[in-house]
Structure formats: C-alpha cells, structure tokens
Amino acid sequence: MLDFRLKVFYIVAKRLNFTKAAEELFITQPAVSKHIHEIESFYKSKLFERNGTRIKLTPAGEILLRHAEEILNIYRDIEFDLAALTKDVKGTLKIGASTTVAQYFIPEHLASFKRKFPDLKIALFVNNTEHIENLLLENKINLGIVEGQTKRKNIKYIPLVKDEIVLCTSASNPTSKKTAITLKDLLQLPLVIRESGSGTLEVSIAALKKAGLNFSTLTIDMEFESTESIKSYLLSSNSYAFLSVASIFKELKNGELKIVDIKELEIERFFYCITQQGDTHFLNDIFLKHLSLHNFKL
C-alpha cells in the first residue's frame, strides 16, 4: 500500500547519494531519478540541490523527509501489529543485557513491550558482556543486548544504537582544572575501571591501544563491577573513570560529575543485539521490531 516513490525519496534523503540508494532499493539509478522527478513534479517543489556529484536537501526536501519518516513509521507499526495478530505471542522470552544497557536503556522498552503483549513472560538476565554471550551460547537466553562486538563466530551481532564513552571525574575534584588533557596527561591520573569482561572496559582498552597507549601503563586506582558503584566512588574521591555518557546524564545535569576531554582520543561504540547464528525464532524478531518502532536510543 505504501507509495514506493516515497520510500525511494526517503532512502535518497537519508543516504544523499543516488547510486547508494539504487543499490539499496535494488533498482537502477535512472529509476531512482525518475521517481524523484515524479515527486518533485507532483508537489511542484525541488527536493534536492545538486552540486557536481554531491546532493543536499532543499527546505522543501527537509519538510518532506520529516513527514516521510512519520508515514513510514506508521506503516511499520501497522505491519507489526497485524503480523502479531497471526501469531500466538505467549511463552517466555529470556533476554540478557549487559550492565549499562540494563541500568539505563532497556527497562522502559521492556515495559512498553509487556503492555503490547501481556500474555508473554519476560525474564531479564543482567551481567557483563562476556557473561551474556556465554548465556546465549549455552541456550539460557533467547537474545542479548550488549556493549561492543567481540565477534564470536557462533553469534550474530545486530547494531542497534551508537554510544560514547567519556572520561569523567567529580566536578569538585581539585586535581582536575583542565577541560581537555593529552594522552600523556592520562598516564598520571588514578583510574577506576570496570571488571574484566565488561564491554565498557574492553572498548576503552581497544580505543586506547589504537591511539598508541598500552592499558597496562595506566594507574589503576580500583575496580568495580557496576557503573553505579564507580559513580559513587568518583563523587567521594579524586579519581577518574571511562563511562558511557548516557549513564552520567543525571550527574552532569546536577553538576556532580564533569567530562574531561582527551585531545587525541574519541571512544565510540555500538550497542548490539546478539542472537545465535541461524536463530529465526519469531519472538526475537518481534522484540527487535518493537525496539525499532519505539526508537531504541540513548
């Protein structure tokens, strides 16, 4: 029922590249151009400005993109709800979540999912990324949401949302007078870290290594098994920690913690949904669709 031309416009507007849009839609580039021309003729508005090989949205294109996103979300919601009617959505869905995901992101989505499917029982298992991956491979959970991608061969990793890890400390820390430091400065700072197997720790170590800094050369003050424990410790010490920026929103807003930028370092990661390779259980698909429709984000 959805006008295919609207989908073509949406993909072009998101990719800002006719060739990539054609490849994604499995049609030719002239066909993409034809569909865009038809929409522009219908609305009597130019949707894209072309500058050589580059394109960008016009003001009219920006307006259409905003409405196209709303329309496409409505169609996806219709498809999701009608498809759910044809299946007996009962039983138990066992979900594993790494610590940061479980504390700051997943609860509200579980609540809305439960409201939509009240007959479905949901069990949430919380631990670090390594442990959640082990639970999946041992068939103790149906799927997991973890921090980072360890690329274990029997696990399928589906990117969900991007996260940023930042260096932070108490806002009242007398040793922190700079808003930005160098990697060399980092060597002198006492660090609080997550335990081995933590996704946050593994991603931080990998980013530091890529920047040319060996993790073993850092000064480790203490190790904790949860972000909340680290935040409490930071508030009562002069130590520093690498934490997800989303996990410290409240403390940043309240002026309790502050971010210290590292000039040569930027740590970004994805949160991934993990399933076993070849797993096609419909409950997994329904839950992932729900996250997509309800804008799972930081």
Side-chain angles (χ1 to χ4, degrees):
M1 292 178 64
L2 177 65
D3 190 329
F4 184 68
R5 291 173 299 182
L6 186 64
K7 184 176 180 180
V8 172
F9 164 76
Y10 176 78
I11 297 299
V12 174
K14 297 298 285 186
R15 305 291 177 265
L16 292 178
N17 187 298
F18 278 67
T19 301
K20 290 181 179 179
E23 292 173 353
E24 187 169 336
L25 291 162
F26 299 103
I27 59 177
T28 64
Q29 188 170 329
V32 171
S33 299
K34 178 177 178 293
H35 288 307
I36 296 300
H37 178 69
E38 288 175 354
I39 298 176
E40 289 180 327
S41 297
F42 181 82
Y43 288 112
K44 297 180 174 59
S45 298
K46 191 175 181 181
L47 301 175
F48 296 97
E49 291 181 358
R50 295 163 177 82
N51 182 13
T53 58
R54 296 183 178 182
I55 63 172
K56 69 175 183 177
L57 287 166
T58 64
E62 295 280 1
I63 291 173
L64 184 58
L65 175 59
R66 185 169 66 249
H67 289 297
E69 287 178 331
E70 294 174 356
I71 292 168
L72 289 169
N73 283 335
I74 290 172
Y75 271 95
R76 281 195 290 264
D77 220 346
I78 291 171
E79 292 173 0
F80 176 68
D81 288 341
L82 292 179
L85 284 176
T86 65
K87 296 183 180 292
D88 188 16
V89 187
K90 294 181 179 179
T92 300
L93 180 62
K94 297 179 180 179
I95 303 170
S98 56
T99 311
T100 301
V101 172
Q103 287 178 322
Y104 306 106
F105 309 112
I106 201 65
E108 64 177 285
H109 297 286
L110 290 178
S112 58
F113 189 65
K114 181 66 176 177
R115 286 195 298 270
K116 186 176 285 288
F117 302 108
D119 294 330
L120 183 66
K121 294 180 181 179
I122 302 173
L124 181 66
F125 298 79
V126 182
N127 214 301
N128 64 41
T129 295
E130 182 180 28
H131 189 78
I132 294 301
E133 290 181 336
N134 289 338
L135 289 178
L136 180 70
L137 295 175
E138 293 165 6
N139 296 309
K140 293 180 179 178
I141 58 174
N142 300 98
L143 73 155
I145 301 177
V146 297
E147 311 152 36
Q149 184 181 20
T150 58
K151 298 182 179 179
R152 292 165 79 161
K153 65 178 182 178
N154 294 323
I155 294 178
K156 180 180 179 181
Y157 295 85
I158 305 167
L160 292 177
V161 65
K162 186 177 287 187
D163 181 33
E164 182 182 6
I165 297 173
V166 296
L167 181 69
C168 60
T169 188
S170 169
S172 60
N173 184 349
T175 69
S176 176
K177 297 179 181 179
K178 298 179 181 179
T179 57
I181 63 172
T182 65
L183 283 171
K184 186 177 179 180
D185 294 329
L186 181 63
L187 293 172
Q188 312 303 321
L189 302 181
L191 290 176
V192 184
I193 63 171
R194 284 286 306 276
E195 80 288 356
S196 177
S198 157
T200 299
L201 178 64
E202 296 303 318
V203 171
S204 300
I205 291 174
L208 289 167
K209 182 178 180 180
K210 186 176 180 180
L213 191 62
N214 194 317
F215 187 77
S216 63
T217 62
L218 299 179
T219 304
I220 306 304
D221 181 24
M222 197 168 292
E223 178 182 309
F224 286 98
E225 290 190 354
S226 78
T227 297
E228 288 299 311
S229 296
I230 290 177
K231 291 194 295 183
S232 296
Y233 185 78
L234 291 181
L235 294 175
S236 303
S237 72
N238 294 329
S239 294
Y240 298 73
F242 285 106
L243 295 175
S244 164
V245 69
S247 71
I248 58 173
F249 278 155
K250 184 177 72 173
E251 289 77 15
L252 292 174
K253 183 177 180 181
N254 294 339
E256 297 173 309
L257 294 177
K258 65 178 180 180
I259 294 173
V260 180
D261 290 326
I262 303 175
K263 295 176 183 178
E264 303 94 336
L265 185 68
E266 188 175 85
I267 307 178
E268 291 184 338
R269 65 175 175 188
F270 271 95
F271 287 164
Y272 290 86
C273 175
I274 57 171
T275 60
Q276 291 198 46
Q277 290 285 6
D279 188 345
T280 58
H281 197 287
F282 81 93
L283 285 181
N284 292 354
D285 293 337
I286 287 176
F287 183 66
L288 282 174
K289 188 72 171 179
H290 180 81
L291 292 182
S292 173
L293 291 172
H294 288 77
N295 298 315
F296 179 77
K297 59 185 178 181
L298 307 183

